[in-house]
Amino acid sequence: MKFETRAIHDGQSADPATGAVTIPVFQTSTYQQDGIGKPRGYEYSRTGNPTRHALEEALASLESGKHGLAFASGVAATTAVLQLLRPGDHVLAGDDIYGGTYRLLEKVYSPWGLHVDYVDTTDPNAFAAAVLPNTKLIWVETPTNPLLKIADIAALAGVAKQAGALLAVDNTFASPWFQRPLELGAHIVVHSTTKYLGGHSDVVGGAVITSLDDEFNDLKFYQNAAGAIPGPWDCWLILRGLKTLAVRMREHERNAKHLALILEKHPAVKRVFYPGLATHPQHELAAKQMSGFGGMISLELNGGFEAVEQFVARLKIFILGESLGGVESLVCYPPRMTHSSFPAKERHRRGIHDNLVRLSVGIENVDDLEQDLRNALG
Ligand SMILES: *Cc1c(COP(=O)(O)O)cnc(C)c1O
């Protein structure tokens, strides 16, 4: 079956007890057992819950994976993947990553004993050159947050194979509608389901998808043992979001493409980062490994922080806020918001300058969005 059909049906067949067409919210902590040692499939909701199970099956299907696991947040999902490693292991991470992932690596897992090196996301050879005998994990986002750089997933899968390491891809920005890393050779996909998968800015969640049985068993063990699970309501909201993922992503992209072209020509704009633009340095790679370019745009304004402050203050439809991927358009200032956990020096070294703004283009009417940006740019 095709993606749009699976998004609505996989893991979500009608409830056998009642015929309910939507998966019920199983708001229960425990389950009656038929006798000692005779549970009916569920025992305790940290370990398993039918609403969560439906979400996990749907997520696995959409990412072309065998197994899915839902977590309480994107960083909880990332944590689960890092728990596959042991103190002394080495991680190669892309240099442009979500601030919270950087914080987790630097402030939680480095003290715990992981060694982390950051490598130019766009250069698979640089990853190959940085591999050490104890390298166990390559971690990238693509497109990256916030500079929309593209990592060559198939090439990195080759590097990981050579190194005997796992390749994990944070697919939050693309969503499985536009990019399926497992099909390109990645071992693990991670999502902040808070973003496009939930899609309505009303829930926080995360997910890990893999086709590897051993890693799945370890991840599932950790999910139950450490307990960072989402509640049934949150799973239900994300499931509802998934059903319209394809429709929403088409609109996000259509709007973003239109606005990126306009921003690129605007005199108040210094530079636009959007993989769908022919001028994006990795446009061809993006076109090869993605079926579309998504709804995220970053831009540098002419001027410094004052220009950004003025721009943001003049916007009427784009809402100033963290997060992304919801139906409403958002504007974010990465240096002080999503990427404030990078020290200033590291931020600048990575190309996140004080005139950078990130847009999550929503699915409002594009004429209104264009007008809003034009007004704010003056
Ligand atoms: C938001 C985000 C995360 C973290 O997810 P939470 O749900 O906020 O914990 C991880 N990666 C990317 C790319 C994100 O945008």
Side-chain angles (χ1 to χ4, degrees):
M1 276 188 295
K2 296 279 171 50
F3 188 99
E4 296 92 324
T5 314
R6 285 184 282 122
I8 291 167
H9 294 286
D10 275 11
Q12 306 169 73
S13 37
D15 177 43
T18 61
V21 168
T22 52
I23 293 291
V25 178
F26 284 91
Q27 189 72 47
T28 186
S29 60
T30 191
Y31 306 82
Q32 183 180 33
Q33 306 195 9
D34 291 332
I36 292 175
K38 289 185 197 150
R40 298 181 198 167
Y42 293 94
E43 292 158 56
Y44 186 63
S45 275
R46 170 160 37 71
T47 316
N49 173 284
T51 316
R52 190 172 95 218
H53 189 71
L55 172 62
E56 293 176 332
E57 283 204 350
L59 288 167
S61 168
L62 296 186
E63 280 290 359
S64 301
K66 203 164 147 194
H67 311 290
L69 289 166
F71 289 89
S73 67
V75 295
T78 304
T79 302
V81 173
L82 294 174
Q83 283 291 334
L84 292 170
L85 308 182
R86 290 293 166 260
D89 286 349
H90 180 234
V91 178
L92 286 178
D95 59 351
D96 195 37
I97 50 175
Y98 174 64
T101 305
Y102 177 77
R103 181 175 56 199
L104 195 57
L105 289 169
E106 289 298 301
K107 297 279 169 69
V108 179
Y109 279 97
S110 293
W112 186 74
L114 290 186
H115 302 285
V116 187
D117 282 316
Y118 300 91
V119 183
D120 179 355
T121 296
T122 64
D123 185 359
N125 293 326
F127 277 89
V131 166
L132 298 175
N134 57 338
T135 304
K136 294 284 162 62
L137 176 69
I138 296 177
W139 177 282
V140 290
E141 288 172 19
T142 184
T144 62
N145 183 3
L147 295 176
L148 286 308
K149 294 182 188 175
I150 307 294
D152 187 331
I153 297 172
L156 288 176
V159 174
K161 191 170 178 204
Q162 195 80 36
L166 295 169
L167 172 63
V169 176
D170 181 335
N171 201 28
T172 299
F173 266 39
S175 91
W177 171 248
F178 285 130
Q179 173 174 275
R180 287 174 299 281
L182 299 181
E183 291 178 7
L184 298 165
H187 301 102
I188 294 171
V189 166
V190 172
H191 275 285
S192 168
T193 53
T194 313
K195 315 295 170 52
Y196 286 111
L197 300 186
H200 297 74
S201 305
D202 52 11
V203 63
V204 171
V208 181
I209 299 102
T210 185
S211 292
L212 301 176
D213 295 332
D214 288 349
E215 279 70 12
F216 167 70
N217 287 329
D218 289 350
L219 288 161
K220 188 162 174 55
F221 172 83
Y222 177 78
Q223 182 196 41
N224 180 50
I229 46 124
W233 269 106
D234 288 356
C235 293
W236 187 88
L237 283 168
I238 297 160
L239 266 175
R240 183 160 81 164
L242 288 186
K243 294 177 207 243
T244 55
L245 180 66
V247 188
R248 286 185 287 109
M249 292 314 293
R250 285 188 203 116
E251 290 296 303
H252 281 297
E253 192 202 26
R254 204 163 62 101
N255 286 356
K257 263 187 181 160
H258 179 85
L259 298 179
L261 285 168
I262 282 163
L263 290 168
E264 200 178 32
K265 286 190 218 104
H266 199 284
V269 176
K270 187 172 170 203
R271 191 169 165 198
V272 178
F273 304 84
Y274 182 67
L277 290 174
T279 50
H280 187 285
Q282 297 166 287
H283 175 64
E284 271 177 42
L285 172 60
K288 192 176 92 182
Q289 72 181 12
M290 303 171 75
S291 60
F293 306 104
M296 298 299 297
I297 303 174
S298 288
L299 55 139
E300 287 177 350
L301 297 177
N302 282 319
F305 176 62
E306 299 71 36
V308 171
E309 243 184 341
Q310 235 179 36
F311 171 69
V312 168
R314 283 184 188 155
L315 287 167
K316 296 228 160 59
I317 299 175
F318 281 83
I319 299 168
L320 177 65
E322 306 249 0
S323 201
L324 61 109
V327 291
E328 63 291 286
S329 292
L330 297 176
V331 57
C332 153
Y333 184 55
R336 298 258 186 100
M337 296 166 74
T338 49
H339 289 67
S340 59
S341 41
F342 283 91
K345 195 170 136 248
E346 284 300 312
R347 232 172 28 233
H348 293 142
R349 206 167 61 76
R350 287 166 155 83
I352 302 171
H353 299 302
D354 293 341
N355 58 348
L356 185 77
V357 184
R358 194 189 76 184
L359 302 178
S360 172
V361 178
I363 62 171
E364 299 96 335
N365 187 289
V366 76
D367 297 341
D368 294 331
L369 296 180
E370 177 181 338
Q371 195 57 49
D372 199 32
L373 291 178
R374 285 192 189 280
N375 286 345
L377 289 169

